[in-house]
Amino acid sequence: MRVTIFESNEELDRQAADMIAQTVAKRPSAVLGLATGSTPVGIYKALIKQAAEQRLSFAGVTTYNLDEYVGLTPEHDQSYAYFMKQHLFSHLDIPSAQTNLPNGMADDLSAECARYDRMLERQPIDIQLLGIGHNGHIGFNEPAAELIGGTHIAELEAATLAANARFFEHEEQVPRQALTMGVGSILKARSILLVARGADKAPIIKQALSGPITTACPASLLQTHAHVTVLLDKEAGKDLIPDDTTLHLVYS
Ligand code: PGA
């Protein structure tokens, strides 16, 4: 696994945006797997800047987001649909019909999960951007004895509810459920870009990249994928051992 540790977050953002922009430049009909949360915000800013500077069109691009809360409309300011519009889609020339998130307002949530998986099967993801939760979750795949492969309804863990409460007025307002791509759907992406920032993510990054592959740390399953790039700021990377032979550690 190639891991780059950056001195500055701006550099990290540029590098991540560059990888996404290059994917689109090479293949104008690229399929991008996207993420929400605080981790990708700077990356999206850098991507918008690069798209403008390079006159890179996203008109042929399709996107799939990892997850969406159950019960929030796309107009709700804490829905992931709203987040994506604010932070990325409204700044690019991508037609909204080509931007996909699971529909957390669907009457039949199981049918919605099946629909999302059928679409992903038809349009495999070229590059999947991922953050990581403090408990090792990717998307809303929380640590568990068993993980689910496809898109499914996830019950959010107490730790995740607490972490997400900062975005709501009260913790009780955080939806208890979400629809999320499963680890199987994530691992089907042709390439994966895992990003983490901050000292609070250092222990879980070490566990995910150098620890055992276990459903107790869903991100550890990324060790089984052949094309994962990890971009970390120096705080998130501080616990990695430079001579770990399973990692190709680069300092930038
Ligand atoms: P964060 O969340 O980017 O807000 O840290 C990441 C995640 O929980 O997957």
Side-chain angles (χ1 to χ4, degrees), residues 36-40 130-134 137-140 160 164 166-167 197 200-201:
T36 52
S38 52
T39 305
L130 281 182
I132 181 171
H134 294 104
H137 74 202
I138 45 176
F140 275 122
T160 303
N164 290 1
R166 64 196 147 126
F167 301 117
R197 315 174 196 266
D200 53 319
K201 294 279 173 78

Side-chain angles (χ1 to χ4, degrees), residues 46-64:
L47 183 59
I48 293 162
K49 190 160 170 266
Q50 287 187 20
E53 283 168 4
Q54 300 166 19
R55 293 174 200 264
L56 185 63
S57 174
F58 282 66
V61 167
T62 300
T63 65
Y64 285 91

Side-chain angles (χ1 to χ4, degrees), residues 2-252:
R2 190 184 165 85
V3 182
T4 308
I5 299 181
F6 291 85
E7 244 336 281
S8 88
N9 263 296
E10 291 68 36
E11 247 185 283
L12 187 164
D13 290 335
R14 256 201 310 277
Q15 174 71 28
D18 201 43
M19 287 178 66
I20 298 170
Q22 275 183 29
T23 305
V24 174
K26 256 192 234 143
R27 189 164 174 254
S29 62
V31 181
L32 307 179
L34 300 177
T36 52
S38 52
T39 305
V41 172
I43 297 171
Y44 293 153
K45 259 198 204 136
L47 183 59
I48 293 162
K49 190 160 170 266
Q50 287 187 20
E53 283 168 4
Q54 300 166 19
R55 293 174 200 264
L56 185 63
S57 174
F58 282 66
V61 167
T62 300
T63 65
Y64 285 91
N65 263 79
L66 284 169
D67 43 22
E68 177 61 285
Y69 286 124
V70 168
L72 297 192
T73 64
E75 293 74 36
H76 190 290
D77 65 2
Q78 290 308 326
S79 74
Y80 289 167
Y82 186 90
F83 175 102
M84 289 309 299
K85 213 169 160 184
Q86 290 284 106
H87 290 283
L88 187 64
F89 298 151
S90 65
H91 307 276
L92 298 174
D93 62 345
I94 186 166
S96 59
Q98 286 158 220
T99 63
N100 300 285
L101 288 95
N103 175 11
M105 293 296 289
D107 290 333
D108 184 339
L109 293 173
S110 302
E112 170 59 9
C113 292
R115 180 192 72 86
Y116 209 66
D117 279 341
R118 279 196 303 276
M119 291 180 73
L120 284 168
E121 237 155 74
R122 278 202 297 270
Q123 293 185 297
I125 291 171
D126 291 300
I127 183 164
Q128 174 69 56
L129 178 60
L130 281 182
I132 181 171
H134 294 104
N135 60 3
H137 74 202
I138 45 176
F140 275 122
N141 295 279
E142 306 280 18
E146 293 177 350
L147 295 176
I148 298 171
T151 305
H152 59 279
I153 306 166
E155 306 290 333
L156 307 196
E157 265 202 358
T160 303
L161 292 173
N164 290 1
R166 64 196 147 126
F167 301 117
F168 293 81
E169 265 175 48
H170 302 290
E171 189 170 332
E172 306 83 69
Q173 293 171 336
V174 185
R176 268 39 193 171
Q177 289 183 318
L179 301 185
T180 183
M181 274 165 58
V183 280
S185 334
I186 294 170
L187 291 170
K188 278 181 197 149
R190 294 192 174 110
S191 63
I192 294 177
L193 179 53
L194 175 69
V195 180
R197 315 174 196 266
D200 53 319
K201 294 279 173 78
I204 197 65
I205 277 293
K206 181 172 188 216
Q207 203 183 320
L209 306 188
S210 330
I213 298 170
T214 166
T215 61
C217 176
S220 69
L221 273 84
L222 298 173
Q223 292 180 40
T224 66
H225 194 287
H227 301 286
V228 179
T229 301
V230 184
L231 306 183
L232 307 172
D233 69 0
K234 59 179 188 298
E235 285 83 18
K238 74 184 171 59
D239 290 354
L240 295 176
I241 314 228
D243 57 2
D244 184 335
T245 51
T246 63
L247 301 176
H248 176 187
L249 220 55
V250 178
Y251 290 84
S252 176

